[in-house]
Amino acid sequence: MNFQIFLCWVLSLGMVSVGVGAADCGLTAAQQTPQPSWVTQSAPDDTGAGGGRYDGVGSSLITGGDLARATTEARSRANAELAQSIRVHISSAVKTSESKLTENGQTAVRSSIEAVTDSVADLQLQSVAVQGQWVDPAACRLWLRVSVPAAEALRAQRQALATGLVATFDVQIKQAGQEAMPVPERERALGVAAELLALIDPAQVSTFSAPVARMQIDALRLAVTDARRRFDLYALQLARHLQANSQLTAATATGQRRVAAAHALSTLQTLLGIAPAMPGLPLPFEVNDRMAQLFGESGTPCLAKQWLNDHGLPPPAVQVAAACSATALAQERRQLYWAGQTVAVHCAITLGGQTQPWDKACAGIQDHLVRQGVTIADAQTSPTAIVHQLTLAATGTIQQRQDPDTQARLWRFEGTITSSLTGPGQINIQDRYEGLTGWNPVSAAMTTDILALNAVKRFDAAITQHWEK
């Protein structure tokens, strides 16, 4: 007997009418049916061998003859118990899926997976049907039993789980692709997305393509790896800048402060060159204020003026008297670079096949470097501190002749001069040229000293030109 026929039968027998008491619904003894066993069982489990279904039982008092209301209430309660029965049975399957994820993955999908249980249990499946009904004449209570095939619930469970995982996958992919997010969070999201892809059953979600998802992950992995490289470089440079700025704060001597300021300024410029800002690594200072302070401390007014102009900021408090030339800017860049550096200087002159130290050349170039804040390496300098090598060398002969008028002896140098400077930051300055001095009436030593002065002047200019590029 289906439910509609049952209701008509109940009404036709006058089981319920206005004014009927709760203890008597008007059924004769012959019309009363035995109480089914399912009435006293809470959501019977028939999903075992031969069962293959989930059940739900609900009841409601028939008051005032309102059988329609009682039926609605009983059906609602039966559906709720059915939903709870399904929740209990699918919970373990959902937890199994969750257990396959790392902690980050579990955190990301927990709300989605929890929603799977509810969404499956609350589905108004077309296959939910009334399997039995019974009226308790003594209590005037209507009982209903509803069921759904376990296979149908399992199908809905798999579909809802896959749909939930796909939705979470999309969220994680979107987060991994957001450049404004901190790199560690992008890495976490990408890792979760890769885990979810292994759990998703593409057959359950028609709009999901596993190959496309893999391509998304592969592309993002390259992007996030590059972002991690820049993040680490930024963090390293920030640490170096903060250390240099601390040294500036602690320094008292003018020379020490200038070296520390130059280092702090160069590291800050490198930092900003990597990225103007890095999500997840906020700068603990205001950039414009810090730059203005460091330009002032390092004694580089032309670079300060240029930087402020480039960023649309007011000119420095101490105005540069004249327009800054390319050479002036190059000299200041060189000054910033050299401050605090250690350079090993080698000078030699070969005359007539005999090589000896070229002290005059070394003294001249060292003087130029020291005035730029450079430390000249000596025998006690650690090899690890020497990252720049500067060489000045001359090879040739000292020619002699007698002045025809004064009969004085004259000397000059004829040969080749080579100079080089190598170091970090693609520093590789090379210069080679033919040298021929004028006739010198003093001595051969004076001739090589004059040659040294000219060689130092020329190479110092070549070094400055490097920073004009």
Side-chain angles (χ1 to χ4, degrees):
M1 177 186 299
N2 63 34
F3 187 60
Q4 289 79 7
I5 296 175
F6 169 77
L7 293 182
C8 293
W9 174 69
V10 172
L11 291 173
S12 66
L13 291 178
M15 291 172 55
V16 184
S17 60
V18 178
V20 177
D24 183 7
C25 292
L27 291 177
T28 66
Q31 293 170 328
Q32 295 179 18
T33 59
Q35 175 180 296
S37 61
W38 51 263
V39 170
T40 57
Q41 296 176 357
S42 177
D45 183 3
D46 290 333
T47 59
R53 70 171 187 253
Y54 296 113
D55 289 339
V57 175
S59 69
S60 178
L61 286 173
I62 306 172
T63 58
D66 193 344
L67 185 61
R69 182 199 59 77
T71 302
T72 300
E73 287 185 359
R75 179 63 182 270
S76 176
R77 291 167 183 168
N79 285 345
E81 189 169 271
L82 172 62
Q84 182 58 32
S85 178
I86 294 175
R87 286 189 182 93
V88 171
H89 283 82
I90 69 174
S91 177
S92 60
V94 170
K95 292 299 181 183
T96 298
S97 295
E98 183 180 355
S99 68
K100 296 177 182 178
L101 300 171
T102 62
E103 183 177 352
N104 284 336
Q106 292 176 17
T107 301
V109 303
R110 185 158 293 133
S111 60
S112 296
I113 288 184
E114 289 175 353
V116 168
T117 304
D118 293 335
S119 64
V120 173
D122 294 339
L123 283 176
Q124 297 299 314
L125 303 175
Q126 294 181 356
S127 52
V128 173
V130 175
Q131 294 296 324
Q133 55 273 320
W134 179 71
V135 173
D136 181 354
C140 207
R141 177 176 290 274
L142 174 65
W143 291 82
L144 286 178
R145 180 190 189 190
V146 295
S147 297
V148 63
E152 180 67 16
L154 180 60
R155 181 202 63 77
Q157 168 197 324
R158 289 173 176 170
Q159 185 179 50
L161 178 59
T163 300
L165 293 177
V166 167
T168 306
F169 174 86
D170 291 339
V171 170
Q172 300 303 309
I173 284 292
K174 183 177 180 180
Q175 290 180 352
Q178 290 182 358
E179 295 182 0
M181 288 188 65
V183 170
E185 294 184 25
R186 295 179 67 188
E187 291 173 329
R188 181 200 59 78
L190 185 59
V192 170
E195 291 185 72
L196 292 176
L197 180 58
L199 292 180
I200 294 172
D201 181 0
Q204 302 297 327
V205 186
S206 61
T207 57
F208 181 78
S209 169
V212 171
R214 291 190 190 94
M215 287 190 289
Q216 286 181 296
I217 289 177
D218 290 343
L220 282 172
R221 187 171 285 117
L222 292 175
V224 173
T225 297
D226 183 64
R228 163 55 71 177
R229 179 188 61 79
R230 295 177 68 248
F231 183 90
D232 291 344
L233 284 175
Y234 190 93
L236 176 62
Q237 206 62 33
L238 175 58
R240 288 174 174 172
H241 168 74
L242 294 176
Q243 182 183 22
N245 198 67
S246 295
Q247 292 171 345
L248 170 62
T249 302
T252 55
T254 301
Q256 291 177 333
R257 292 188 63 82
R258 178 159 291 189
V259 169
H263 189 200
L265 184 56
S266 64
T267 53
L268 181 54
Q269 289 174 320
T270 302
L271 176 76
L272 298 177
I274 297 171
M278 183 63 67
L281 284 177
L283 298 180
F285 52 83
E286 204 285 320
V287 172
N288 293 336
D289 291 345
R290 178 62 60 86
M291 291 293 282
Q293 173 203 356
L294 295 177
F295 276 126
E297 290 277 5
S298 63
T300 53
C302 286
L303 288 177
K305 182 178 180 180
Q306 182 186 59
W307 189 86
L308 292 170
N309 288 338
D310 291 344
H311 291 79
L313 298 173
V318 178
Q319 295 290 330
V320 180
C324 292
S325 65
T327 299
L329 287 167
Q331 288 173 340
E332 289 188 1
R333 292 191 195 99
R334 169 182 168 172
Q335 176 181 326
L336 287 178
Y337 178 86
W338 279 127
Q341 300 285 357
T342 299
V343 181
V345 180
H346 310 278
C347 306
I349 186 167
T350 301
L351 299 173
Q354 298 295 318
T355 301
Q356 60 186 14
W358 197 6
D359 294 334
K360 189 67 174 182
C362 270
I365 197 65
Q366 288 174 5
D367 179 65
H368 280 271
L369 294 176
V370 168
R371 283 189 278 112
Q372 297 287 331
V374 174
T375 298
I376 304 301
D378 55 25
Q380 284 71 45
T381 304
S382 170
T384 59
I386 304 174
V387 294
H388 296 85
Q389 298 286 341
L390 189 152
T391 301
L392 276 176
T395 301
T397 59
I398 297 294
Q399 300 175 345
Q400 299 184 49
R401 77 177 179 88
Q402 193 173 33
D403 188 301
D405 297 325
T406 64
Q407 302 301 308
R409 184 181 296 181
L410 304 175
W411 295 266
R412 75 175 181 183
F413 170 86
E414 182 177 9
T416 302
I417 296 91
T418 59
S419 53
S420 68
L421 173 65
T422 59
Q426 297 182 334
I427 303 297
N428 186 9
I429 304 171
Q430 304 289 333
D431 191 19
R432 177 185 174 88
Y433 56 96
E434 298 298 321
L436 180 65
T437 65
W439 290 103
N440 171 34
V442 178
S443 65
M446 177 63 73
T447 300
T448 57
D449 286 350
I450 293 173
L451 176 66
L453 293 176
N454 290 332
V456 167
K457 182 178 180 181
R458 173 172 171 142
F459 192 43
D460 186 67
I463 294 174
T464 298
Q465 289 173 5
H466 173 82
W467 272 271
E468 289 183 8
K469 300 176 182 177

